[in-house]
Coordinates of all heavy atoms in Angstrom, one line a residue:
M1 N 20.7 75.0 -111.5 CA 21.6 74.3 -110.8 C 21.0 74.1 -109.3 O 21.5 73.2 -108.7 CB 22.9 75.0 -110.7 CG 23.7 74.9 -112.0 SD 25.3 75.9 -111.9 CE 26.1 75.0 -110.6
H2 N 20.2 74.9 -108.9 CA 19.7 74.9 -107.5 C 18.2 74.5 -107.5 O 17.6 74.9 -106.4 CB 20.1 76.1 -106.7 CG 21.5 76.2 -106.5 ND1 22.2 75.6 -105.7 CD2 22.4 77.0 -107.3 CE1 23.4 75.8 -105.6 NE2 23.6 76.7 -106.6
E3 N 17.6 73.9 -108.5 CA 16.4 73.5 -108.5 C 16.1 72.5 -107.3 O 16.7 71.7 -107.0 CB 16.0 72.7 -109.8 CG 14.5 72.3 -109.8 CD 14.2 71.8 -111.2 OE1 14.9 71.7 -112.1 OE2 13.1 71.0 -111.2
G4 N 15.0 73.0 -106.5 CA 14.7 72.3 -105.4 C 15.4 72.7 -104.1 O 15.1 72.3 -102.9
S5 N 16.4 73.6 -104.3 CA 17.2 74.0 -103.0 C 16.4 75.2 -102.4 O 15.6 76.0 -103.0 CB 18.6 74.5 -103.5 OG 19.4 73.5 -104.1
S6 N 16.8 75.5 -101.2 CA 16.3 76.6 -100.5 C 17.3 77.7 -100.5 O 18.5 77.5 -100.3 CB 16.0 76.1 -99.0 OG 15.6 77.4 -98.3
V7 N 16.9 78.9 -100.9 CA 17.7 80.1 -101.0 C 17.2 81.1 -100.1 O 16.0 81.5 -100.1 CB 17.7 80.6 -102.4 CG1 18.6 81.8 -102.5 CG2 18.3 79.5 -103.5
T8 N 18.1 81.7 -99.2 CA 17.7 82.7 -98.3 C 18.4 84.1 -98.8 O 19.5 84.1 -99.0 CB 18.3 82.5 -96.9 OG1 17.8 81.2 -96.5 CG2 17.9 83.6 -96.0
T9 N 17.5 85.0 -99.0 CA 17.9 86.4 -99.4 C 18.0 87.3 -98.2 O 17.5 86.8 -97.2 CB 16.9 86.9 -100.5 OG1 15.7 87.1 -100.0 CG2 16.9 86.2 -101.7
I10 N 18.3 88.5 -98.4 CA 18.5 89.4 -97.3 C 17.1 89.6 -96.7 O 17.0 89.8 -95.4 CB 19.1 90.8 -97.8 CG1 19.5 91.6 -96.5 CG2 18.1 91.5 -98.8 CD1 20.6 91.1 -95.8
E11 N 16.0 89.6 -97.5 CA 14.7 89.7 -97.0 C 14.3 88.5 -96.0 O 13.4 88.7 -95.1 CB 13.7 89.9 -98.1 CG 13.7 91.2 -98.9 CD 14.8 91.1 -100.0 OE1 15.4 90.0 -100.2 OE2 14.9 92.2 -100.6
G12 N 15.0 87.4 -96.2 CA 14.7 86.3 -95.4 C 15.4 86.2 -94.1 O 15.1 85.4 -93.2
L13 N 16.3 87.2 -93.9 CA 17.1 87.1 -92.6 C 16.5 87.8 -91.5 O 16.7 87.2 -90.3 CB 18.5 87.7 -92.8 CG 19.5 86.8 -93.7 CD1 20.8 87.5 -93.9 CD2 19.8 85.6 -93.0
G14 N 16.0 88.9 -91.7 CA 15.4 89.6 -90.6 C 14.3 90.6 -91.2 O 14.0 90.6 -92.3
T15 N 13.8 91.3 -90.3 CA 12.8 92.3 -90.6 C 13.2 93.7 -90.1 O 14.1 93.7 -89.2 CB 11.4 92.1 -90.0 OG1 11.4 92.1 -88.7 CG2 10.9 90.7 -90.5
P16 N 12.7 94.9 -90.5 CA 13.1 96.2 -89.9 C 12.9 96.1 -88.5 O 13.6 96.8 -87.7 CB 12.2 97.1 -90.6 CG 12.0 96.5 -92.0 CD 11.9 95.0 -91.7
E17 N 11.9 95.4 -88.0 CA 11.6 95.4 -86.6 C 12.4 94.5 -85.7 O 12.5 94.5 -84.5 CB 10.1 95.2 -86.3 CG 9.0 96.3 -87.0 CD 8.9 95.9 -88.5 OE1 9.1 94.9 -88.9 OE2 8.6 97.0 -89.2
N18 N 12.9 93.5 -86.4 CA 13.5 92.3 -85.8 C 14.7 91.9 -86.7 O 14.7 91.0 -87.3 CB 12.6 91.2 -85.6 CG 13.3 90.1 -84.7 OD1 14.2 90.4 -84.0 ND2 12.7 88.9 -84.9
L19 N 15.7 92.8 -86.6 CA 16.9 92.5 -87.5 C 17.6 91.3 -87.1 O 17.8 90.9 -86.0 CB 18.0 93.7 -87.4 CG 17.5 95.0 -87.8 CD1 18.5 96.1 -87.6 CD2 17.2 95.0 -89.4
H20 N 18.3 90.6 -88.1 CA 19.1 89.4 -87.8 C 20.4 90.1 -87.1 O 20.7 91.2 -87.3 CB 19.5 88.9 -89.2 CG 20.4 87.7 -89.1 ND1 21.8 87.7 -88.8 CD2 20.2 86.3 -89.1 CE1 22.2 86.4 -88.6 NE2 21.3 85.6 -88.9
P21 N 21.1 89.3 -86.2 CA 22.2 89.9 -85.6 C 23.3 90.4 -86.6 O 24.1 91.4 -86.3 CB 22.7 88.6 -84.8 CG 21.6 87.9 -84.5 CD 20.7 88.1 -85.7
M22 N 23.5 89.8 -87.8 CA 24.5 90.2 -88.6 C 24.0 91.6 -89.1 O 24.9 92.4 -89.4 CB 24.6 89.2 -89.8 CG 25.9 89.5 -90.7 SD 27.4 89.4 -89.8 CE 27.6 87.6 -89.7
Q23 N 22.7 91.8 -89.5 CA 22.3 93.1 -90.0 C 22.5 94.2 -88.9 O 22.9 95.3 -89.2 CB 20.8 93.0 -90.4 CG 20.5 92.1 -91.6 CD 19.0 91.9 -91.7 OE1 18.2 91.5 -90.7 NE2 18.5 92.0 -92.9
A24 N 22.3 93.8 -87.7 CA 22.4 94.8 -86.6 C 23.8 95.1 -86.4 O 24.3 96.4 -86.3 CB 21.9 94.2 -85.3
A25 N 24.8 94.2 -86.6 CA 26.2 94.4 -86.5 C 26.7 95.3 -87.5 O 27.6 96.1 -87.4 CB 27.0 93.1 -86.5
F26 N 26.2 95.1 -88.8 CA 26.6 95.9 -89.9 C 26.3 97.4 -89.7 O 27.0 98.3 -89.9 CB 26.0 95.4 -91.2 CG 26.9 94.5 -92.0 CD1 27.2 93.2 -91.5 CD2 27.3 94.8 -93.2 CE1 28.0 92.4 -92.2 CE2 28.1 94.0 -94.1 CZ 28.5 92.7 -93.5
I27 N 25.2 97.6 -89.1 CA 24.6 99.0 -88.8 C 25.5 99.5 -87.7 O 26.1 100.6 -87.8 CB 23.2 99.0 -88.3 CG1 22.3 98.7 -89.6 CG2 22.8 100.4 -87.8 CD1 20.8 98.5 -89.2
K28 N 25.8 98.8 -86.7 CA 26.6 99.3 -85.4 C 27.9 99.6 -86.0 O 28.5 100.6 -85.4 CB 26.7 98.1 -84.4 CG 27.6 98.5 -83.2 CD 27.5 97.3 -82.2 CE 28.6 97.5 -81.2 NZ 28.7 96.4 -80.3
H29 N 28.6 98.8 -86.8 CA 29.9 99.0 -87.2 C 30.1 99.7 -88.5 O 31.2 99.9 -89.1 CB 30.7 97.5 -87.4 CG 30.9 97.1 -86.0 ND1 31.8 97.4 -85.1 CD2 30.1 96.1 -85.3 CE1 31.8 96.7 -84.0 NE2 30.7 95.8 -84.1
D30 N 29.0 100.3 -89.1 CA 29.1 101.0 -90.4 C 29.7 100.2 -91.4 O 30.7 100.6 -92.1 CB 29.8 102.4 -90.2 CG 29.1 103.4 -89.4 OD1 27.8 103.5 -89.4 OD2 29.9 104.2 -88.8
G31 N 29.1 99.0 -91.5 CA 29.7 98.0 -92.5 C 29.3 98.2 -93.9 O 29.2 97.2 -94.7
Y32 N 28.9 99.5 -94.3 CA 28.5 99.8 -95.6 C 28.7 101.3 -95.9 O 28.7 102.0 -94.9 CB 27.0 99.3 -95.9 CG 26.1 99.9 -94.8 CD1 25.5 101.0 -95.0 CD2 25.9 99.3 -93.6 CE1 24.7 101.7 -94.0 CE2 25.0 99.9 -92.6 CZ 24.4 101.1 -92.9 OH 23.7 101.6 -91.9
Q33 N 28.6 101.6 -97.2 CA 28.5 103.1 -97.4 C 27.3 103.4 -98.3 O 26.3 103.8 -97.9 CB 29.9 103.5 -98.0 CG 31.0 103.5 -96.9 CD 32.3 104.0 -97.4 OE1 32.3 104.8 -98.3 NE2 33.4 103.6 -96.8
C34 N 27.5 103.0 -99.6 CA 26.2 103.3 -100.5 C 25.3 102.1 -100.3 O 24.2 102.4 -100.7 CB 26.7 103.3 -102.0 SG 27.4 101.7 -102.6
G35 N 25.6 101.0 -99.8 CA 24.6 99.9 -99.5 C 24.6 99.0 -100.7 O 23.7 98.0 -100.6
Y36 N 25.2 99.2 -101.9 CA 24.9 98.4 -103.1 C 25.4 96.9 -102.8 O 24.7 95.9 -103.1 CB 25.7 98.9 -104.3 CG 25.5 98.2 -105.5 CD1 24.3 98.4 -106.2 CD2 26.3 97.3 -106.0 CE1 24.0 97.9 -107.5 CE2 26.0 96.6 -107.2 CZ 25.0 97.0 -107.9 OH 24.6 96.2 -109.1
C37 N 26.4 96.7 -102.2 CA 27.0 95.4 -102.0 C 26.4 94.7 -100.7 O 26.6 93.6 -100.4 CB 28.4 95.4 -101.9 SG 29.1 96.1 -100.4
T38 N 25.7 95.5 -99.7 CA 25.4 95.1 -98.5 C 24.6 93.8 -98.4 O 24.9 93.0 -97.5 CB 24.8 96.3 -97.7 OG1 25.7 97.4 -97.7 CG2 24.5 96.0 -96.2
P39 N 23.5 93.7 -99.2 CA 22.7 92.4 -98.9 C 23.6 91.2 -99.3 O 23.5 90.3 -98.5 CB 21.6 92.7 -100.0 CG 21.5 94.0 -100.2 CD 22.8 94.6 -100.1
G40 N 24.4 91.3 -100.2 CA 25.3 90.1 -100.5 C 26.3 89.9 -99.5 O 26.6 88.8 -99.1
Q41 N 26.9 91.0 -98.9 CA 27.8 90.9 -97.9 C 27.3 90.3 -96.6 O 27.9 89.3 -96.0 CB 28.4 92.3 -97.5 CG 29.1 93.0 -98.7 CD 30.6 92.6 -98.8 OE1 31.1 91.6 -98.2 NE2 31.2 93.3 -99.7
I42 N 26.1 90.8 -96.3 CA 25.4 90.2 -95.0 C 25.1 88.7 -95.3 O 25.3 87.8 -94.3 CB 24.1 91.0 -94.7 CG1 24.7 92.3 -94.1 CG2 23.3 90.3 -93.6 CD1 23.6 93.4 -93.9
C43 N 24.5 88.3 -96.4 CA 24.1 86.9 -96.6 C 25.4 86.1 -96.7 O 25.3 85.0 -96.1 CB 23.3 86.8 -97.9 SG 21.6 87.5 -97.8
S44 N 26.5 86.5 -97.3 CA 27.7 85.8 -97.3 C 28.3 85.6 -95.9 O 28.8 84.5 -95.5 CB 28.6 86.4 -98.2 OG 28.3 86.3 -99.6
A45 N 28.3 86.6 -95.2 CA 28.8 86.6 -93.7 C 28.0 85.6 -93.0 O 28.7 84.9 -92.2 CB 28.8 88.0 -93.1
V46 N 26.7 85.5 -93.1 CA 26.0 84.6 -92.4 C 26.4 83.1 -92.8 O 26.6 82.2 -92.0 CB 24.4 84.8 -92.5 CG1 23.6 83.6 -92.0 CG2 24.0 86.2 -91.8
A47 N 26.5 83.0 -94.1 CA 26.9 81.7 -94.7 C 28.3 81.3 -94.2 O 28.6 80.2 -94.0 CB 26.8 81.7 -96.2
V48 N 29.2 82.3 -94.1 CA 30.6 82.1 -93.8 C 30.6 81.4 -92.3 O 31.4 80.4 -92.0 CB 31.5 83.3 -93.9 CG1 32.8 83.1 -93.0 CG2 31.8 83.6 -95.2
L49 N 30.0 82.1 -91.5 CA 29.9 81.6 -90.0 C 29.3 80.2 -89.9 O 29.7 79.4 -89.1 CB 29.2 82.6 -89.1 CG 29.8 84.0 -89.0 CD1 29.1 84.8 -87.9 CD2 31.3 83.9 -88.7
D50 N 28.2 79.9 -90.7 CA 27.7 78.6 -90.8 C 28.7 77.6 -91.3 O 28.7 76.5 -90.8 CB 26.3 78.6 -91.7 CG 25.2 79.2 -91.0 OD1 25.2 79.6 -89.9 OD2 24.2 79.6 -91.7
E51 N 29.4 77.9 -92.3 CA 30.4 77.1 -92.8 C 31.5 76.7 -91.9 O 31.7 75.5 -91.8 CB 31.1 77.7 -94.1 CG 30.4 77.6 -95.5 CD 31.2 78.2 -96.6 OE1 32.4 78.7 -96.3 OE2 30.7 78.2 -97.7
I52 N 31.8 77.7 -91.2 CA 33.0 77.4 -90.2 C 32.4 76.6 -89.1 O 33.1 75.6 -88.7 CB 33.5 78.7 -89.7 CG1 34.3 79.5 -90.9 CG2 34.5 78.5 -88.6 CD1 34.7 80.9 -90.5
K53 N 31.2 76.9 -88.6 CA 30.5 76.1 -87.5 C 30.5 74.6 -88.1 O 30.5 73.8 -87.3 CB 29.2 76.7 -87.3 CG 28.7 76.2 -86.0 CD 27.3 76.9 -85.7 CE 26.6 76.4 -84.5 NZ 25.3 77.0 -84.1
S54 N 30.1 74.4 -89.3 CA 29.9 73.1 -89.9 C 31.2 72.3 -90.2 O 31.2 71.2 -90.6 CB 29.1 73.1 -91.1 OG 27.8 73.7 -91.0
G55 N 32.3 72.9 -90.0 CA 33.6 72.5 -90.2 C 34.1 72.4 -91.6 O 35.1 71.6 -91.9
V56 N 33.6 73.2 -92.5 CA 34.0 73.2 -93.9 C 35.3 74.0 -94.1 O 35.3 75.1 -93.7 CB 32.9 73.8 -94.8 CG1 33.4 73.9 -96.3 CG2 31.6 73.1 -94.6
P57 N 36.3 73.3 -94.6 CA 37.6 74.0 -94.7 C 37.7 75.0 -95.9 O 36.9 74.8 -96.8 CB 38.7 72.9 -94.8 CG 38.0 71.8 -95.5 CD 36.4 72.0 -95.0
S58 N 38.6 76.0 -95.9 CA 38.8 76.9 -97.0 C 40.2 76.7 -97.4 O 41.0 75.8 -96.9 CB 38.6 78.3 -96.5 OG 39.6 78.7 -95.8
H59 N 40.7 77.6 -98.3 CA 42.0 77.5 -98.8 C 43.0 77.8 -97.7 O 44.2 77.6 -97.9 CB 42.2 78.4 -100.2 CG 41.7 77.7 -101.4 ND1 42.0 76.6 -101.9 CD2 40.6 78.1 -102.0 CE1 41.4 76.3 -102.9 NE2 40.3 77.2 -102.9
V60 N 42.6 78.6 -96.7 CA 43.6 79.1 -95.7 C 43.5 78.3 -94.4 O 44.2 78.5 -93.5 CB 43.5 80.5 -95.4 CG1 43.7 81.4 -96.6 CG2 42.1 80.9 -94.8
S61 N 42.6 77.3 -94.4 CA 42.5 76.4 -93.2 C 43.8 75.6 -93.1 O 44.4 75.1 -94.1 CB 41.3 75.5 -93.4 OG 40.0 76.2 -93.4
G62 N 44.2 75.4 -91.9 CA 45.5 74.6 -91.6 C 45.4 73.3 -91.9 O 46.4 72.6 -92.2
S63 N 44.2 72.5 -91.9 CA 44.0 71.2 -92.2 C 42.7 70.9 -92.9 O 41.7 71.7 -92.7 CB 44.1 70.5 -90.9 OG 43.6 69.1 -91.0
L64 N 42.6 70.0 -93.7 CA 41.4 69.6 -94.3 C 40.5 68.6 -93.5 O 39.4 68.2 -93.8 CB 41.7 69.0 -95.8 CG 42.2 69.8 -96.9 CD1 42.5 69.1 -98.0 CD2 41.4 71.1 -97.1
T65 N 41.2 68.0 -92.4 CA 40.6 67.1 -91.6 C 40.1 67.6 -90.3 O 39.5 66.9 -89.5 CB 41.3 65.8 -91.5 OG1 42.7 66.2 -90.9 CG2 41.7 65.2 -92.8
T66 N 40.6 68.8 -89.9 CA 40.2 69.3 -88.5 C 39.3 70.5 -88.8 O 39.5 71.3 -89.8 CB 41.4 69.6 -87.7 OG1 42.2 70.7 -88.3 CG2 42.3 68.5 -87.3
A67 N 38.4 70.7 -87.8 CA 37.4 71.8 -88.0 C 38.2 73.2 -88.0 O 39.0 73.4 -87.1 CB 36.4 71.8 -86.9
P68 N 37.9 74.0 -88.9 CA 38.5 75.4 -88.9 C 38.0 76.2 -87.8 O 36.8 76.0 -87.3 CB 38.1 75.9 -90.4 CG 36.8 75.3 -90.7 CD 36.9 73.9 -90.1
E69 N 38.6 77.2 -87.4 CA 38.1 78.2 -86.4 C 38.0 79.5 -87.1 O 38.8 79.8 -88.1 CB 39.2 78.3 -85.2 CG 39.3 77.0 -84.4 CD 40.0 77.2 -83.1 OE1 40.5 78.4 -82.8 OE2 40.4 76.1 -82.5
F70 N 37.2 80.3 -86.5 CA 37.0 81.7 -87.2 C 38.3 82.4 -86.9 O 39.0 82.5 -85.9 CB 35.9 82.4 -86.4 CG 35.7 83.9 -86.9 CD1 34.9 84.0 -88.0 CD2 36.3 84.9 -86.3 CE1 34.7 85.3 -88.5 CE2 36.1 86.1 -86.8 CZ 35.3 86.3 -88.0
S71 N 38.7 83.2 -88.0 CA 39.9 84.0 -87.9 C 39.7 85.1 -88.9 O 38.9 84.8 -89.9 CB 41.2 83.3 -88.1 OG 41.2 82.9 -89.4
A72 N 40.4 86.1 -88.8 CA 40.4 87.2 -89.9 C 40.7 86.6 -91.3 O 40.2 86.9 -92.3 CB 41.3 88.4 -89.6
A73 N 41.7 85.7 -91.3 CA 42.2 85.1 -92.5 C 41.1 84.3 -93.1 O 40.9 84.4 -94.3 CB 43.5 84.3 -92.3
E74 N 40.4 83.5 -92.3 CA 39.3 82.6 -92.8 C 38.2 83.6 -93.3 O 37.7 83.2 -94.4 CB 38.8 81.8 -91.6 CG 39.7 80.6 -91.3 CD 39.6 79.4 -92.3 OE1 38.8 79.5 -93.2 OE2 40.3 78.5 -92.1
L75 N 37.9 84.6 -92.7 CA 36.9 85.5 -93.0 C 37.2 86.1 -94.3 O 36.4 86.1 -95.3 CB 36.5 86.5 -91.9 CG 35.5 87.6 -92.3 CD1 34.2 87.0 -92.6 CD2 35.4 88.6 -91.2
R76 N 38.3 86.6 -94.5 CA 38.8 87.4 -95.8 C 38.7 86.4 -96.9 O 38.4 86.7 -98.0 CB 40.1 87.9 -95.6 CG 40.0 89.3 -94.6 CD 41.4 89.8 -94.4 NE 41.5 90.9 -93.4 CZ 40.9 92.1 -93.5 NH1 40.5 92.4 -94.7 NH2 41.0 92.9 -92.5
E77 N 39.3 85.1 -96.7 CA 39.3 84.1 -97.8 C 37.9 83.8 -98.1 O 37.5 83.8 -99.4 CB 40.0 82.9 -97.3 CG 39.9 81.7 -98.1 CD 40.3 81.8 -99.6 OE1 41.3 82.7 -99.9 OE2 39.9 81.2 -100.5
R78 N 37.0 83.6 -97.2 CA 35.6 83.1 -97.5 C 34.7 84.2 -98.1 O 33.7 83.9 -98.8 CB 35.0 82.5 -96.3 CG 35.7 81.1 -95.9 CD 35.2 80.7 -94.5 NE 36.0 79.6 -94.0 CZ 35.7 78.4 -94.1 NH1 34.6 78.1 -94.6 NH2 36.5 77.4 -93.5
M79 N 35.1 85.4 -97.7 CA 34.3 86.5 -98.2 C 35.0 87.2 -99.5 O 34.5 88.2 -100.0 CB 34.2 87.7 -97.2 CG 33.4 87.2 -96.0 SD 31.7 87.3 -96.2 CE 31.2 89.0 -96.3
S80 N 36.0 86.6 -100.0 CA 36.8 87.2 -101.0 C 36.1 87.4 -102.3 O 36.4 88.4 -103.2 CB 38.1 86.4 -101.3 OG 37.8 85.2 -101.8
G81 N 35.0 86.8 -102.6 CA 34.2 87.0 -103.9 C 33.3 88.2 -103.7 O 32.6 88.5 -104.8
N82 N 33.2 88.8 -102.5 CA 32.2 89.9 -102.4 C 33.0 91.2 -102.5 O 33.8 91.6 -101.6 CB 31.5 89.9 -101.0 CG 30.6 88.8 -100.9 OD1 31.1 87.6 -100.8 ND2 29.4 89.0 -100.9
I83 N 32.7 91.9 -103.6 CA 33.4 93.1 -103.8 C 32.7 94.3 -103.4 O 31.5 94.5 -103.6 CB 33.8 93.4 -105.4 CG1 34.6 92.0 -105.9 CG2 34.7 94.6 -105.6 CD1 35.9 91.7 -105.2
C84 N 33.4 95.3 -102.6 CA 32.7 96.6 -102.2 C 33.5 97.7 -102.8 O 34.7 98.0 -102.6 CB 32.8 96.7 -100.7 SG 32.3 98.2 -100.0
R85 N 32.7 98.5 -103.7 CA 33.4 99.5 -104.4 C 33.7 100.6 -103.5 O 34.6 101.4 -103.8 CB 32.5 100.1 -105.5 CG 32.0 99.1 -106.6 CD 33.0 98.9 -107.6 NE 33.3 100.2 -108.2 CZ 34.1 100.4 -109.3 NH1 34.6 99.4 -109.9 NH2 34.2 101.7 -109.8
R86 N 33.1 100.7 -102.3 CA 33.4 101.8 -101.4 C 34.4 101.4 -100.4 O 34.7 102.2 -99.5 CB 32.1 102.2 -100.7 CG 31.1 102.6 -101.6 CD 31.4 104.0 -102.3 NE 30.3 104.3 -103.2 CZ 30.3 105.3 -104.0 NH1 31.4 106.1 -104.0 NH2 29.3 105.6 -104.8
G87 N 34.9 100.2 -100.4 CA 36.1 99.8 -99.5 C 35.6 99.7 -98.0 O 36.4 100.1 -97.1
A88 N 34.4 99.2 -97.7 CA 33.9 99.2 -96.3 C 34.5 97.9 -95.6 O 34.1 97.5 -94.5 CB 32.4 99.1 -96.2
Y89 N 35.5 97.2 -96.2 CA 36.0 96.0 -95.7 C 36.3 96.0 -94.1 O 36.0 95.0 -93.4 CB 37.2 95.5 -96.4 CG 36.8 95.3 -97.9 CD1 37.5 96.0 -99.0 CD2 35.9 94.4 -98.4 CE1 37.3 95.9 -100.2 CE2 35.7 94.2 -99.7 CZ 36.3 95.0 -100.6 OH 36.0 94.8 -101.9
S90 N 37.0 96.9 -93.7 CA 37.5 96.9 -92.3 C 36.3 96.9 -91.3 O 36.3 96.3 -90.4 CB 38.4 98.1 -91.9 OG 37.8 99.3 -92.1
N91 N 35.3 97.7 -91.7 CA 34.1 97.7 -90.8 C 33.2 96.5 -91.0 O 32.6 96.0 -90.1 CB 33.3 98.9 -91.1 CG 34.0 100.2 -90.8 OD1 35.1 100.2 -90.3 ND2 33.3 101.4 -91.0
I92 N 33.3 95.9 -92.2 CA 32.7 94.5 -92.4 C 33.2 93.5 -91.5 O 32.6 92.6 -90.8 CB 32.6 94.0 -93.9 CG1 31.7 95.1 -94.7 CG2 32.2 92.7 -94.0 CD1 31.8 94.9 -96.2
V93 N 34.6 93.5 -91.4 CA 35.3 92.5 -90.7 C 35.0 92.7 -89.2 O 34.7 91.7 -88.5 CB 36.9 92.6 -90.8 CG1 37.6 91.8 -89.9 CG2 37.2 92.2 -92.3
E94 N 34.9 93.9 -88.7 CA 34.5 94.2 -87.3 C 33.1 93.7 -87.0 O 32.8 93.1 -86.0 CB 34.6 95.7 -87.1 CG 35.9 96.2 -86.9 CD 36.0 97.7 -86.6 OE1 35.0 98.3 -86.2 OE2 37.1 98.4 -86.8
A95 N 32.2 93.9 -88.0 CA 30.8 93.5 -87.6 C 30.7 91.9 -87.7 O 30.1 91.4 -86.8 CB 29.9 93.9 -88.9
V96 N 31.3 91.3 -88.6 CA 31.3 89.8 -88.6 C 32.0 89.2 -87.4 O 31.5 88.2 -86.8 CB 31.9 89.2 -89.9 CG1 31.7 87.7 -90.0 CG2 31.1 89.8 -91.2
T97 N 33.1 89.8 -87.1 CA 33.8 89.3 -85.9 C 33.0 89.4 -84.7 O 33.0 88.4 -83.8 CB 35.2 90.1 -85.7 OG1 36.0 90.0 -87.0 CG2 36.1 89.6 -84.6
E98 N 32.2 90.4 -84.5 CA 31.5 90.7 -83.3 C 30.3 89.4 -83.3 O 30.2 88.8 -82.3 CB 30.7 92.0 -83.3 CG 29.8 92.0 -82.1 CD 29.2 93.5 -82.0 OE1 30.0 94.4 -81.7 OE2 28.0 93.6 -82.2
V99 N 29.7 89.3 -84.4 CA 28.7 88.1 -84.6 C 29.4 86.8 -84.3 O 28.6 85.9 -83.7 CB 27.9 88.2 -85.9 CG1 26.9 87.1 -86.0 CG2 27.2 89.6 -86.0
A100 N 30.5 86.7 -84.8 CA 31.2 85.4 -84.5 C 31.6 85.1 -83.1 O 31.9 84.0 -82.6 CB 32.5 85.2 -85.3
G101 N 31.3 86.2 -82.2 CA 31.5 85.9 -80.8 C 32.9 86.5 -80.3 O 33.2 86.2 -79.1
R102 N 33.6 87.2 -81.1 CA 34.9 87.7 -80.6 C 34.8 89.2 -80.5 O 34.1 89.8 -81.3 CB 36.0 87.3 -81.6 CG 36.2 85.8 -81.6 CD 37.0 85.2 -82.7 NE 37.0 83.9 -82.6 CZ 38.1 83.1 -82.5 NH1 39.2 83.7 -82.4 NH2 38.0 81.9 -82.6
P103 N 35.6 89.9 -79.6 CA 35.7 91.3 -79.6 C 36.0 91.8 -81.0 O 36.9 91.4 -81.6 CB 36.6 91.6 -78.5 CG 37.3 90.3 -78.1 CD 36.5 89.2 -78.8
A104 N 35.3 92.9 -81.4 CA 35.7 93.6 -82.6 C 36.7 94.6 -82.5 O 36.9 95.0 -81.4 CB 34.3 94.1 -83.3
Ligands
FES1 S1 28.9 99.7 -99.5 FE1 28.6 100.4 -101.5 S2 29.6 98.9 -102.7 FE2 29.8 98.2 -100.7

């Protein structure tokens, strides 16, 4: 389905010496426990912020014609497909909120 598309994995976001801001925020806010879901959570979080910045609406956006703004509801809806068996959700929200430019 994605032949010819560009796919960015966690290895493509940053390096151990130069972390992507989302990777650094996940560490700062303990946005993981076992780490099993973490690569997907971080890649999705980066994509969520890009989607919102691009004006792509979600099911919780107030309008399909005006640009959505970052909110906890937008984040939770857009990240809803990412399941964490350890329940690190509150810390993940804090990390993504910080990267989005709002106080965590
Ligand atoms: S941190 Fe282990 S599943 Fe999410």
